């Protein structure tokens, strides 16, 4: 039998003492999270919040989706209208999530809101769909796009071989998830840097487009609604392609427990970031059409690269670099945000308790990050990006619609909740 002195030196007693220190430390657990067994530290301010949303949204979509939007909308004018309306829809969605995030203090995004509105069963279904399909699938798509654009300059005479794309994509996932296991602040700094870089890259396209407009290169924007036309089914597919580029506004909601002053920062970050992204996307597409004809866009597998070759001349290499930085930052945003809802769900008992654990030194949800990394790397082995988009898209937007319905339901069912920000129904 061990003595009392021996018991004090046992490793598990040391871990328990460290746990008590973490729970009592005001800089680790916010008082608003005192009802939870374990909570993340509030350390993300307004600017990082905006960068997280923009970094999670601006990824591969603006470089992949223009072709699909044009194809299914039937004309240049129709494509620009679809991009604008997708931005309006996404901004309204962001405002709905801002109300939910500022009034419900828990992290976990859609999972938490469905749990609060409709109970554990629907939240449980959404959790597993997101955990197995949506989050890792979207991250794999972005990682594959990063790999393609990162190595394209090294294969100027041909397409990159599939094995090279897969290896680079897997390395990207491993690097980003590994660093997210190490540091939250470091990951947010990575997000800030690459988000600014990707906005600069899109800014190059937009500024060049403005110059071309001033020079009178508007031939592809004249008679903008001429084309093969569209129908109800095709226009819905155009919206499907466009909305893929706006996916990701819930990133900050997954990290609600880590946002400083969420009552103020949620609505400001959501509205400002979504408005800015909509303007950037519409101007980027106008810039595309100052150089590319509709036929050239439809024939291109990499719209930004084709545009750069025609518009930038010897500086065409900037486009693959800009897209690679954009998608690298988006993968980081996915790792940073998607791991949090799994952490919250495990803390609520709907996943193994291992996923609710935080590294005692780094204060990161390490077990969750490792498992999500493995699932993402597995899906990344499947090289058909279009099939992955179809695989994830329907499930994601189905649950977004259910969450919006839950917001309306909670207006009547949970009148007692303080709502610092409300969106008109």
């Amino acid at each position: 039998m061990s003595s009392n002195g021996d018991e004090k030196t046992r490793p598990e007693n040391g871990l328990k003492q460290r746990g008590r220190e973490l729970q009592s430390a005001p800089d680790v657990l916010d008082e608003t999270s005192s009802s939870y067994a374990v909570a993340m530290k509030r350390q993300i301010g307004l600017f990082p919040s905006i960068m997280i949303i923009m970094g999670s949204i601006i990824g591969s979509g603006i470089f992949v989706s223009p072709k699909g939007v044009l194809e299914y909308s039937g004309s240049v004018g129709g494509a620009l209208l679809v991009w604008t309306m997708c931005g309006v829809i996404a901004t309204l969605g962001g405002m709905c999530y801002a109300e939910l995030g500022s009034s419900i203090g828990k992290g976990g995004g859609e999972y938490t809101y469905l749990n609060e509105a409709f109970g554990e069963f629907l939240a449980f279904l959404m959790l597993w769909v997101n955990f197995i399909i949506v989050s890792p699938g979207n991250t794999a798509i972005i990682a594959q796009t990063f790999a393609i654009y990162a190595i394209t300059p090294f294969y100027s005479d041909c397409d990159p071989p599939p094995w090279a794309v897969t290896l680079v994509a897997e390395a990207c996932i491993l690097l980003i998830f590994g660093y997210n296991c190490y540091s939250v602040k470091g990951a947010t700094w990575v997000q800030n840097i690459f988000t600014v870089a990707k906005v600069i890259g899109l800014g190059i396209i937009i500024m060049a487009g403005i110059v071309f407009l001033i020079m009178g290169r508007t031939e592809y924007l004249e008679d903008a609604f001429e084309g093969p036309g569209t129908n109800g089914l095709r226009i819905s597919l155009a919206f499907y392609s466009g909305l893929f580029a706006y996916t990701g506004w819930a990133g900050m909601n997954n990290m609600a427990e880590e946002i400083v002053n969420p009552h103020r920062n949620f609505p400001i970050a959501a509205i400002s970031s979504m408005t800015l992204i909509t303007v950037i996307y519409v101007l980027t597409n106008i810039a595309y059409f100052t150089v590319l004809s509709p036929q050239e866009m439809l024939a291109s597998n990499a719209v930004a690269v084709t545009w750069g070759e025609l518009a930038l001349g010897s500086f065409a290499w900037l486009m693959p670099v800009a897209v690679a930085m954009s998608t690298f930052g988006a993968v980081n945003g996915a790792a940073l945000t998607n791991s949090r809802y799994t952490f919250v769900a495990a803390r609520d008992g709907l996943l193994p308790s291992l996923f609710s654990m935080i590294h005692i030194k780094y204060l990161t949800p390490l077990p969750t990050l490792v498992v999500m990394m493995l699932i993402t790397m597995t899906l990344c082995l499947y090289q058909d990006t279009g099939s992955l988009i179809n695989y994830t898209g329907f499930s994601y937007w189905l649950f977004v619609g259910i969450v919006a319905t839950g917001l309306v339901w909670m207006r009547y069912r949970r009148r007692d909740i303080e709502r610092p920000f409300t969106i008109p129904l």
Side-chain angles (χ1 to χ4, degrees):
M1 296 178 63
S2 302
S3 65
N4 292 336
D6 292 335
E7 290 179 356
K8 292 181 180 179
T9 61
R10 287 179 179 175
E12 58 265 30
N13 291 336
L15 290 175
K16 291 179 181 178
Q17 175 63 27
R18 176 60 174 158
R20 287 192 291 270
E21 291 173 0
L22 289 175
Q23 289 181 337
S24 61
D27 64 332
V28 174
L29 294 183
D30 189 90
E31 62 271 11
T32 60
S33 301
S34 59
S35 61
Y36 311 138
V38 182
M40 300 295 293
K41 177 182 177 182
R42 291 195 184 275
Q43 54 185 327
I44 301 175
L46 177 59
F47 181 74
S49 299
I50 295 174
M51 292 299 100
I52 286 171
I53 296 175
M54 294 187 66
S56 298
I57 292 176
I58 302 176
S60 60
I62 186 57
F63 306 108
V64 173
S65 295
K67 178 178 177 179
V69 173
L70 175 62
E71 178 181 359
Y72 293 118
S73 61
S75 65
V76 172
L80 295 177
L81 282 179
V82 168
W83 278 105
T84 303
M85 291 306 300
C86 286
V88 172
I89 293 171
T91 301
L92 292 175
M95 293 171 68
C96 290
Y97 277 55
E99 176 177 334
L100 291 166
S102 61
S103 57
I104 301 174
K106 292 177 64 177
E110 291 101 339
Y111 157 76
T112 295
Y113 307 145
L114 290 177
N115 197 5
E116 293 285 338
F118 302 117
E120 288 187 348
F121 178 71
L122 196 56
F124 180 77
L125 292 179
M126 185 273 163
L127 165 69
W128 278 101
V129 168
N130 226 4
F131 184 61
I132 301 297
I133 299 176
V134 176
S135 295
N138 282 335
T139 307
I141 293 168
I142 300 170
Q144 289 176 352
T145 306
F146 162 79
I148 291 171
Y149 280 89
I151 65 177
T152 291
F154 301 100
Y155 293 90
S156 57
D157 298 328
C158 61
D159 293 332
W163 62 265
V165 173
T166 300
L167 285 178
V168 173
E170 299 282 13
C172 170
I173 295 168
L174 183 62
L175 175 63
I176 290 176
F177 276 82
Y179 189 70
N180 273 266
C181 291
Y182 173 73
S183 173
V184 174
K185 281 191 174 181
T188 57
W189 271 107
V190 170
Q191 193 68 12
N192 293 347
I193 293 169
F194 279 89
T195 298
V196 171
K198 69 178 68 176
V199 172
I200 291 175
L202 291 174
I204 293 173
I205 297 176
I206 292 170
M207 292 304 296
I210 292 174
V211 171
F212 290 140
L213 287 174
I214 294 174
M215 294 170 59
R217 297 183 62 171
T218 60
E219 59 268 29
Y220 302 129
L221 295 170
E222 297 172 357
D223 300 321
F225 290 93
E226 286 189 358
T230 187
N231 55 44
L233 175 60
R234 292 178 65 82
I235 200 67
S236 66
L237 293 174
F239 272 91
Y240 181 82
S241 295
L243 287 171
F244 171 75
Y246 286 94
T247 300
W249 70 68
M252 190 175 67
N253 296 70
N254 292 337
M255 308 179 71
E257 295 170 22
E258 299 168 73
I259 305 299
V260 177
N261 193 8
H263 290 179
R264 169 183 174 271
N265 289 342
F266 256 107
I268 295 176
I271 295 173
S272 58
S273 60
M274 294 309 303
T275 302
L276 184 58
I277 287 171
T278 301
V279 172
I280 289 173
Y281 277 9
V282 173
L283 291 179
T284 299
N285 277 273
I286 292 175
Y288 284 152
F289 288 117
T290 61
V291 175
L292 296 176
S293 68
Q295 293 75 22
E296 288 172 327
M297 179 176 286
L298 293 175
S300 173
N301 291 322
V303 174
V305 172
T306 304
W307 180 90
E309 291 172 349
L310 296 175
L312 301 181
S314 60
F315 292 96
W317 58 269
L318 286 173
M319 284 300 97
V321 172
V323 176
M325 295 185 71
S326 174
T327 49
F328 188 88
V331 174
N332 182 74
L336 187 65
T337 59
N338 291 337
S339 58
R340 270 52 179 184
Y341 73 81
T342 307
F343 164 79
V344 172
R347 192 178 60 190
D348 290 346
L350 297 184
L351 283 175
S353 59
L354 173 68
F355 295 154
S356 68
M357 294 183 180
I358 298 174
H359 193 280
I360 201 167
K361 179 180 178 181
Y362 303 128
L363 303 179
T364 59
L366 190 147
T368 297
L369 283 164
V370 171
V371 173
M372 294 195 72
M373 178 186 70
L374 295 175
I375 297 174
T376 303
M377 293 179 73
T378 301
L379 288 178
C380 197
L381 295 173
Y382 190 70
Q383 298 173 349
D384 188 346
T385 302
S387 295
L388 282 176
I389 292 175
N390 294 333
Y391 179 63
T392 60
F394 176 79
S395 300
Y396 176 79
W397 288 104
L398 173 64
F399 280 103
V400 166
I402 297 174
V403 169
T405 304
L407 169 66
V408 178
W409 173 244
M410 290 182 66
R411 287 280 187 92
Y412 298 97
R413 181 172 176 265
R414 300 288 300 275
R415 297 176 182 270
D416 57 311
I417 295 179
E418 179 185 359
R419 292 177 171 84
F421 170 78
T422 56
I423 177 174
L425 291 181

